[in-house]
Amino acid sequence: MKKELFNRLCSDLFTQLSSNEHLSLEFRGEESFFLRFNHGKVRQNTEVIDGDLYFNLVADQRNINGKAPVTGNWETDAPRLRNFLQELQTTIKTLPLDPMSVKPQDFGKSSAEIKGKILSASEVADAIFTEVGDMDMTGIYAGGTLFRATANSVGTEHWFAVDNFNLDYSLISPSEKMAKGNFSGSEWQQKQFMLNRSNCQNQLAALERPVKKVTPGKYMTYLAPGAIHEIIGLMSYQGFSTKALKQRQSPWLRLVDGKAELSPRFTLRENFSLGLNTPFNELGETTQELLPLIEKGHLVDTLTNQRSAKEFSLPSNGADAHEMLRSPEILPGKLVAKEALGQMKEGLYLNQLHYLNWSEINAARFTGMTRYACFWVENGEWIAPIENLRFDDSVYEIFGSKLVDFTSQAETFTESTTYERRQLGGAKAPGALISEMHFKL
Amino acid sequence: MLKNLKDWAKKIKVEADRVAFRYLKEETTTVTTRDQRPEDNFRGISEGVMVEVHKNGHVGYAATNNLEFESLQRAAEKAARQAEVLAERAVFKSELADRPVNKGEFVSPGFDVDSLSMKAINDVLIACDHSLKVSDKIISTTSNCWITDAQSIYICSLGSEIVQKYRFFSTGFMAIAQDGTVTQKRTNYGRNHSVQGGFENLSLDILKQRAELIGEQALELVSAEVCPTETTNLVLAPDQLMLQIHESIGHPLELDRILGDERNYAGSSFVRLSDFGQLRYGSPLMNIVFDPEEMGEFACYAFDDAGKKAEREFLIKDGLLVRGLGSTESIRRSGVPGVANFRATSWNRAPIDRMANINLLPGKSTREEIFSSIENGVYMESNSSWSIDDYRNKFQFSCEYGKLIENGKLTKTVRNPGYRGVTTPFWNNLKMIGNTDTYSYYGTPFCGKGEPNQIIRVGHGSPLCLFSNIEVFGGES
């Protein structure tokens, strides 16, 4: 899809509106190649060209949303989209009044195109498999061009296109020990990939020691940045949503009620300067570059979209429809990662966590599993990889009373999920030393 | 569209051993109301074609939403090129027999037989919101309805021609109750009730009754005690067993997980290929079937996306593991008997091994016999939290609603009930299994797996079940 065609399609649709109708449009599209591999060989390979136009039509305090395919061909798209809009226009008149419907505003204009060097199907295979050799490697390469654009009937126009790739993989030893790797960017650099793969492989070597079965209990625990990234992902789900907080389905209820505290070392914010996501949401509303949410343990803001803003009489801060984190960052602390290990007489070093879920959201309690390279530590040394453990703990402990500190170094993680289509986004997270974490199974 | 696809299949020019088109169109209507006013009205269309080209013993896939012949021709050329350049690096050699030749049609209950305007759906849901609000202590009510009409067409140059039409229907309710600092949420069987069927599922009288019960139970929960923490007898309702079956039976039996395809994302399995025919998965009371033929259940179909005919099969018979969840490709790769479950979430994804309807068959015990046999225990309904490890062993699930069982009777309601365990010891602790009167099926559209990621619709049926010696716990709030 070309920017000019997007603008032409939008203009055409805006001319179909009556004076009482207001329309916001969002385009999400991709031209992608997916290469899935297992045992260091190709499992499946798929090329996808896809695009959808999302509609938000507001008229006379009524509201309707829609989605229709866009192919990038004017002759195909223009009549189909006009018909689709007409169907929405007919339906909206019949709907009950929606007092929280919000007319679009002019959120300005922007345009950004990030060109990169994306490898062809055969080049991708050569680049990955030549380097990996006969190692057992499983995962996916997803690369190509992603499109996000918005426009509305009062003048907003944002266009964003990026060439990028994300290689998300696991290296697996003959005894089924696994180490996680991720390599992403807009231009494939073979030397950087070699380094990335080599770092991942080094973790595997340490995993070849005999496994220790750790009994459930309380242990001092180091959570590596990958593990903290997983916790941020969980907190994104209902964690900072204004609507969830107002409906009293939020981990921060006790904080707001003054019944629990977080550590003054814990600061979390949206940081769009990381360049991981577009600064505009699906309505084209832009967000401030830095949006503090938790500052030194205090909840200073939540994610408020246009509907919540109207319903709860708050200012909108450009949150998306689901009021989820889009480019979060936990600020680093003062702990040097290597020294964190040194502080552990006995404990656990967890590189990754798996399948996190709120076990009791209103108490900020969550559960999950250890995964990948996780070790039992004695006197500051990795002694043995562990059998997977289940934990159940509270954010108020992990990022509160039991938080020793975050590490001074943080890592950036780019979004690798591809539900429906390749996603934008990511997070920046340091590691953390926790004086005591609860393991249940 | 069938005629177009057949014409295009004849016209397409690409050097290959096999070319197939998989067309899918989905038209979705969702309506959500909150606190007796509209929250979201949505109408969406998704339509496109996956072109599949078999060449040099490998399959290339290319998808497009441009339904012009030239676009499909380009997609076929791309898919053929992929197969050419990647065949020598493939993890296994594809064979034409992986796509059996079949012709047929499937039409789900409710497809194209009736319709209801978005306004009428709003009216029903707003009425349900009223029914949910049984007290001022109900601080928020939500009702929703999600209807998708789908049509898939599979045309393969080997001779397959399959048309399948579905109506997927989900209804959901949520009531949030607050009393002081205690807040509790109660929903419709853990989230939504999802089936294949028509607008009979939006019957106002039935839904209002259901909504009122949900509101009353939310209210009951805010004044209930917290579930005790102890090792005891556990009785699970079918709407929680749905999740238990899904996570601890469905996923670990997927052959692609056992073959390692999913190790980087969804995970592997504790089940080994050598376990089929050998592993005592659960108690002899346990019989699990793969059943795409249970009409009305959420994941019914007649053929999978390989073109294989879908039939009911035992996965676990009298507690013994006998069959895996894998279709033609995985069956050949693993040497293990499988099923017809090669399924893609949409036209823009390649199919992989998925669950369909995975059901636990009813036994002989009545509800009364189950409860009266228990001196001390906990009964739980409706999942609220789920987590399991990447080998599908150590799980922890929480439920919305619990009751104590004391001296053979259900007594006090308890809030925040949960339990944890390990898969095969848990299923071997299955002590009593309810009869058909206690059996229900449920479904979810949100089973996630695969790289690139795919969500898919699954259904799970179960009777009421009693497990012994289970670690249960309560919450803090």
Side-chain angles (χ1 to χ4, degrees):
Chain A
M1 171 81 115
K2 302 272 188 226
K3 179 183 171 186
E4 293 69 27
L5 179 60
F6 170 71
N7 287 338
R8 190 178 169 201
L9 287 169
C10 292
S11 300
D12 181 61
L13 291 169
F14 295 146
T15 62
Q16 313 294 315
L17 299 174
S18 307
S19 59
N20 62 329
E21 293 174 326
H22 311 275
L23 182 63
S24 297
L25 297 166
E26 184 198 18
F27 172 63
R28 297 183 206 170
E30 67 178 320
E31 292 169 9
S32 296
F33 175 58
F34 299 101
L35 181 70
R36 184 180 202 201
F37 41 88
N38 180 17
H39 295 299
K41 294 183 174 175
V42 174
R43 170 65 188 92
Q44 277 175 328
N45 33 269
T46 309
E47 287 188 60
V48 176
I49 298 178
D50 191 8
D52 291 305
L53 194 66
Y54 292 78
F55 293 65
N56 175 242
L57 179 67
V58 177
D60 301 328
Q61 250 201 323
R62 293 177 172 84
N63 184 71
I64 190 166
N65 294 304
K67 181 187 90 161
V70 179
T71 66
N73 179 331
W74 168 262
E75 283 73 25
T76 306
D77 292 338
R80 178 157 67 179
L81 295 172
R82 271 184 228 132
N83 286 342
F84 187 75
L85 175 61
Q86 200 171 35
E87 186 190 333
L88 297 182
Q89 287 171 310
T90 304
T91 306
I92 196 170
K93 292 174 188 158
T94 68
L95 297 178
L97 289 177
D98 175 2
M100 302 310 155
S101 64
V102 183
K103 289 180 192 171
Q105 300 167 41
D106 185 350
F107 296 117
K109 292 181 168 57
S110 71
S111 180
E113 298 208 355
I114 301 168
K115 296 288 182 193
K117 187 183 169 195
I118 302 301
L119 304 181
S120 69
S122 60
E123 287 171 331
V124 170
D126 284 344
I128 297 173
F129 298 127
T130 306
E131 176 60 26
V132 171
D134 58 0
M135 289 193 70
D136 185 356
M137 184 194 201
T138 295
I140 186 166
Y141 166 94
T145 308
L146 281 178
F147 304 93
R148 297 284 188 277
T150 60
N152 67 27
S153 50
V154 291
T156 299
E157 277 179 25
H158 294 294
W159 174 263
F160 178 80
V162 58
D163 298 334
N164 65 6
F165 68 88
N166 192 306
L167 172 67
D168 196 68
Y169 66 96
S170 299
L171 293 180
I172 303 157
S173 74
S175 60
E176 283 193 68
K177 308 292 189 325
M178 295 173 66
K180 182 79 176 177
N182 184 278
F183 181 58
S184 60
S186 280
E187 190 167 331
W188 185 278
Q189 301 281 351
Q190 192 65 16
K191 279 188 181 170
Q192 283 181 17
F193 174 52
M194 284 168 65
L195 184 65
N196 185 287
R197 196 271 306 152
S198 172
N199 288 338
C200 188
Q201 197 172 351
N202 288 342
Q203 288 183 27
L204 267 194
L207 285 166
E208 279 312 295
R209 300 171 204 175
V211 172
K212 179 178 171 68
K213 186 172 181 174
V214 179
T215 52
K218 300 172 187 176
Y219 299 102
M220 180 175 257
T221 302
Y222 175 75
L223 296 171
I228 299 291
H229 175 225
E230 287 289 327
I231 297 174
I232 292 174
L234 173 75
M235 287 199 293
S236 183
Y237 179 69
Q238 282 190 271
F240 291 95
S241 158
T242 295
K243 179 177 149 187
L245 186 64
K246 296 293 182 185
Q247 287 189 304
R248 295 190 69 78
Q249 293 292 299
S250 164
W252 310 128
L253 280 183
R254 290 184 173 193
L255 194 64
V256 171
D257 292 346
K259 293 184 184 306
E261 289 181 348
L262 291 165
S263 167
R265 298 175 196 275
F266 179 36
T267 292
L268 186 148
R269 64 188 186 184
E270 287 274 52
N271 182 354
F272 288 91
S273 73
L274 297 173
L276 299 170
N277 212 330
T278 60
F280 56 86
N281 66 13
E282 64 277 355
L283 295 174
E285 184 184 11
T286 49
T287 305
Q288 62 196 65
E289 193 168 80
L290 295 177
L291 179 66
L293 296 168
I294 289 183
E295 215 163 53
K296 295 182 178 175
H298 297 285
L299 185 71
V300 294
D301 209 346
T302 51
L303 298 171
T304 307
N305 64 23
Q306 291 274 331
R307 279 186 76 88
S308 288
K310 187 164 186 181
E311 179 171 0
F312 304 113
S313 302
L314 292 167
S316 164
N317 52 24
D320 67 13
H322 302 288
E323 298 183 330
M324 291 175 77
L325 295 167
R326 285 149 64 204
S327 188
E329 173 186 34
I330 291 181
L331 292 194
K334 293 181 176 167
L335 191 67
V336 177
K338 283 183 182 169
E339 291 174 7
L341 206 61
Q343 289 190 33
M344 296 171 76
K345 190 177 173 199
E346 274 193 346
L348 293 162
Y349 183 104
L350 307 182
N351 252 309
Q352 296 276 341
L353 300 175
H354 173 67
Y355 215 141
L356 304 191
N357 206 338
W358 296 114
S359 47
E360 193 185 353
I361 192 165
N362 288 351
R365 235 184 66 216
F366 68 110
T367 187
M369 292 297 303
T370 62
R371 192 179 184 185
Y372 289 106
C374 296
F375 298 93
W376 175 252
V377 177
E378 285 180 14
N379 300 318
E381 299 282 337
W382 288 354
I383 298 300
I386 58 163
E387 240 181 43
N388 279 343
L389 278 171
R390 169 166 296 287
F391 66 88
D392 189 288
D393 222 315
S394 164
V395 175
Y396 292 117
E397 298 213 333
I398 286 180
F399 293 158
S401 55
K402 308 294 185 193
L403 175 67
V404 177
D405 201 357
F406 288 106
T407 59
S408 55
Q409 295 283 314
E411 286 181 26
T412 301
F413 299 86
T414 54
E415 185 62 56
S416 60
T417 57
T418 49
Y419 284 109
E420 199 166 4
R421 58 176 54 86
R422 290 197 296 132
Q423 301 297 318
L424 288 168
K428 192 171 181 186
L433 185 64
I434 316 296
S435 63
E436 191 178 88
M437 209 168 145
H438 295 68
F439 295 88
K440 300 285 189 179
L441 189 64
Chain B
M1 183 49 69
L2 177 62
K3 183 178 179 310
N4 283 349
L5 287 171
K6 286 166 80 170
D7 289 347
W8 292 337
K10 284 179 197 154
K11 269 173 67 180
I12 208 104
K13 283 189 182 153
V14 62
E15 276 187 33
D17 299 315
R18 179 180 66 83
V19 178
F21 296 150
R22 182 168 48 80
Y23 163 86
L24 180 70
K25 182 175 187 182
E26 291 198 342
E27 295 175 275
T28 297
T29 299
T30 61
V31 176
T32 304
T33 59
R34 181 157 69 89
D35 301 330
Q36 300 148 43
R37 54 177 167 71
E39 174 83 347
D40 186 31
N41 285 292
F42 172 84
R43 174 90 177 134
I45 299 169
S46 172
E47 186 176 25
V49 174
M50 175 65 84
V51 181
E52 194 181 314
V53 175
H54 187 126
K55 188 171 187 181
N56 298 350
H58 189 61
V59 179
Y61 295 93
T64 177
N65 65 356
N66 187 342
L67 303 177
E68 307 282 334
F69 172 74
E70 293 72 24
S71 176
L72 268 62
Q73 175 66 38
R74 279 194 297 276
E77 288 165 10
K78 285 180 188 172
R81 176 75 184 139
Q82 282 175 44
E84 278 167 15
V85 300
L86 298 173
E88 64 179 29
R89 296 186 188 277
V91 73
F92 70 98
K93 188 173 165 58
S94 290
E95 292 182 3
L96 294 179
D98 293 339
R99 300 295 187 272
V101 177
N102 274 304
K103 292 189 177 190
E105 188 177 63
F106 171 84
V107 181
S108 81
F111 180 80
D112 216 15
V113 295
D114 55 3
S115 66
L116 208 58
S117 72
M118 210 175 240
K119 179 195 180 301
I121 299 171
N122 270 274
D123 292 344
V124 170
L125 297 183
I126 287 170
C128 290
D129 269 357
H130 276 287
S131 299
L132 285 162
K133 194 166 172 66
V134 294
S135 151
D136 288 343
K137 288 182 180 171
I138 303 291
I139 59 168
S140 180
T141 62
T142 305
S143 303
N144 73 70
C145 178
W146 179 357
I147 307 144
T148 298
D149 284 338
Q151 181 173 1
S152 74
I153 301 171
Y154 177 70
I155 302 276
C156 178
S157 60
L158 297 180
S160 285
E161 188 181 309
I162 295 165
V163 177
Q164 303 194 88
K165 300 170 182 174
Y166 310 88
R167 173 165 285 174
F168 301 104
F169 209 108
S170 294
T171 47
F173 302 112
M174 179 171 74
I176 299 172
Q178 185 190 354
D179 191 356
T181 57
V182 177
T183 311
Q184 288 285 300
K185 181 177 81 175
R186 187 76 173 109
T187 70
N188 198 24
Y189 307 112
R191 196 164 184 169
N192 277 46
H193 187 35
S194 301
V195 295
Q196 289 184 5
F199 280 90
E200 70 278 5
N201 292 291
L202 207 66
S203 156
L204 182 60
D205 290 343
I206 294 171
L207 292 185
K208 279 178 71 176
Q209 225 173 9
R210 177 75 194 148
E212 196 172 320
L213 178 67
I214 288 167
E216 283 167 358
Q217 290 188 338
L219 203 60
E220 218 180 294
L221 284 166
V222 281
S223 55
E225 292 173 13
V226 170
C227 180
T229 296
E230 60 182 333
T231 298
T232 189
N233 294 297
L234 173 65
V235 177
L236 293 179
D239 66 354
Q240 169 57 21
L241 275 155
M242 168 197 165
L243 193 278
Q244 183 73 51
I245 291 165
H246 182 88
E247 301 287 11
S248 69
I249 298 173
H251 280 306
L253 299 194
E254 290 162 346
L255 291 181
D256 60 346
R257 290 180 73 115
I258 300 170
L259 290 163
D261 293 352
E262 288 283 330
R263 288 176 297 171
N264 182 60
Y265 181 62
S268 184
S269 174
F270 70 89
V271 175
R272 306 279 115 173
L273 293 177
S274 56
D275 287 336
F276 289 90
Q278 303 293 325
L279 178 67
R280 173 64 54 192
Y281 208 96
S283 96
L285 295 171
M286 184 185 184
N287 285 290
I288 297 281
V289 293
F290 167 87
D291 195 356
E293 298 180 88
E294 175 79 53
M295 290 299 272
E297 200 171 346
F298 205 35
C300 288
Y301 52 89
F303 301 92
D304 73 3
D305 289 338
K308 185 178 181 186
K309 189 162 173 22
E311 292 170 325
R312 183 181 193 257
E313 301 280 4
F314 273 88
L315 303 175
I316 296 171
K317 185 100 174 72
D318 302 327
L320 185 72
L321 177 63
V322 293
R323 185 179 291 267
L325 284 170
S327 190
T328 48
E329 290 185 358
S330 293
I331 292 167
R332 192 165 54 75
R333 287 167 73 194
S334 67
V336 164
V339 297
N341 70 330
F342 198 53
R343 302 169 66 204
T345 181
S346 187
W347 56 268
N348 60 10
R349 292 287 181 267
I352 54 176
D353 292 341
R354 302 306 303 246
M355 281 176 250
N357 298 325
I358 310 294
N359 301 337
L360 173 60
L361 297 184
K364 292 181 178 167
S365 302
T366 64
R367 184 181 172 87
E368 290 67 32
E369 283 167 347
I370 289 174
F371 286 115
S372 64
S373 73
I374 302 165
E375 196 177 312
N376 184 42
V378 182
Y379 165 73
M380 298 186 196
E381 276 182 15
S382 311
N383 185 267
S384 62
S385 172
W386 60 100
S387 174
I388 189 165
D389 72 71
D390 58 328
Y391 278 75
R392 299 278 146 176
N393 263 319
K394 295 180 178 180
F395 60 80
Q396 177 174 314
F397 301 136
S398 296
C399 293
E400 292 178 355
Y401 183 83
K403 272 190 173 290
L404 296 183
I405 308 164
E406 295 169 302
N407 300 316
K409 292 199 178 339
L410 285 168
T411 58
K412 291 178 199 162
T413 299
V414 289
R415 69 176 192 263
N416 301 332
Y419 64 100
R420 57 177 76 93
V422 177
T423 294
T424 53
F426 177 83
W427 283 107
N428 276 282
N429 281 341
L430 172 63
K431 295 301 176 203
M432 291 180 84
I433 188 157
N435 61 16
T436 49
D437 291 344
T438 72
Y439 182 90
S440 311
Y441 60 67
Y442 302 93
T444 175
F446 298 118
C447 174
K449 182 186 168 183
E451 292 177 309
N453 304 149
Q454 306 192 40
I455 59 164
I456 211 150
R457 301 176 182 98
V458 298
H460 301 301
S462 175
L464 191 74
C465 289
L466 164 63
F467 300 85
S468 66
N469 203 28
I470 305 298
E471 187 185 344
V472 305
F473 58 88
E476 295 169 11
S477 60

